[in-house]
Amino acid sequence: QSALTQPPSASGTPGQRITISCSGSSSNIGSNYVYWYQQLPGTAPKFLLYRNNQRPSGVPDRFSGSKSGTSASLAISGLRSEDEAHYYCAAWDDSLSGQLFGTGTKVTVL
Amino acid sequence: QVQLQESGPGLVKPSETLSLTCTVSGGSVSSHSYYWSWIRQPPGKGLEWIGYIYYTGTTNYNPSLKGRVTISLDTSKNQISLNLSTVTAADTAVYYCASVVSGTYMIDYWGQGTLVTVSS
């Protein structure tokens, strides 16, 4: 597996709740923590969530994560214009012995 | 807070070696608290993990790049280096260095990235 699978795009209106899925396998999501990164236009990615659902300080509680089996998801509630960005999931892959990133999801606020 | 700054040529010719340096401030490359990683992103595409190095010199590389990639540390300059040999246009990307918290796979800090174009 060369990448975790994410939908290419997701959208919502301000205030709505959206979710982004991340699908993997037993050698990555199924046996390791999932991390989420946010990449605003023209900038480097930024750390968003760790260990499936933990938020570092400074990340709003509008962002939440979950994991079940070989899939994970990121939820953004109370969607705001500044949430427009690409979102990437990531997990260690035991077969690859390396870090796998998701294919990325572009979030648009309508 | 760890800060990372990538530097190196923005243009490399096909078949040559891409060489980048990442200067670390606010932390030490000799620290057991971090792995130091390189990640790249082709224009308009997603992220690809290249590899990492630990302060002991232990390295781990993406198998898709194995044989072409070398990551090393310069503790005297507090820098991490990336060498990627025999490049092609497919290696054109923004290259990021990043700090990975030891004992996890959590990338807590990223450099701003540097665009490297492979072209004659």
Side-chain angles (χ1 to χ4, degrees), chain B:
Chain B
Q1 171 173 323
V2 173
Q3 293 183 304
L4 307 112
Q5 179 68 59
E6 305 89 348
S7 59
L11 181 64
V12 180
K13 289 183 167 54
S15 81
E16 294 189 345
T17 296
L18 178 161
S19 296
L20 296 174
T21 298
C22 174
T23 301
V24 179
S25 57
S28 170
V29 300
S30 299
S31 169
H32 67 279
S33 299
Y34 286 107
Y35 288 78
W36 306 98
S37 190
W38 285 96
I39 294 154
R40 69 181 183 179
Q41 185 173 34
K45 296 189 177 180
L47 302 165
E48 179 184 30
W49 173 73
I50 296 172
Y52 68 70
I53 188 166
Y54 197 40
Y55 80 102
T56 57
T58 299
T59 54
N60 194 17
Y61 302 129
N62 189 324
S64 69
L65 298 172
K66 234 167 196 175
R68 294 202 297 136
V69 62
T70 304
I71 298 175
S72 58
L73 292 177
D74 185 334
T75 55
S76 66
K77 296 180 180 178
N78 215 34
Q79 292 177 335
I80 310 131
S81 294
L82 169 70
N83 282 327
L84 184 66
S85 64
T86 323
V87 297
T88 69
D91 296 309
T92 294
V94 174
Y95 286 77
Y96 297 100
C97 63
S99 57
V100 182
V101 177
S102 180
T104 77
Y105 302 108
M106 182 171 75
I107 304 169
D108 60 348
Y109 294 105
W110 300 68
Q112 66 181 31
T114 186
L115 174 63
V116 179
T117 302
V118 178
S119 175
S120 54

Side-chain angles (χ1 to χ4, degrees), chain A residues 44-67:
Chain A
K46 186 186 94 170
F47 176 36
L48 193 64
L49 295 177
Y50 66 102
R51 291 191 176 180
N52 304 332
N53 56 17
Q54 303 299 301
R55 281 185 308 276
S57 60
V59 173
D61 59 6
R62 302 185 296 102
F63 295 91
S64 61
S66 64
K67 175 183 137 175

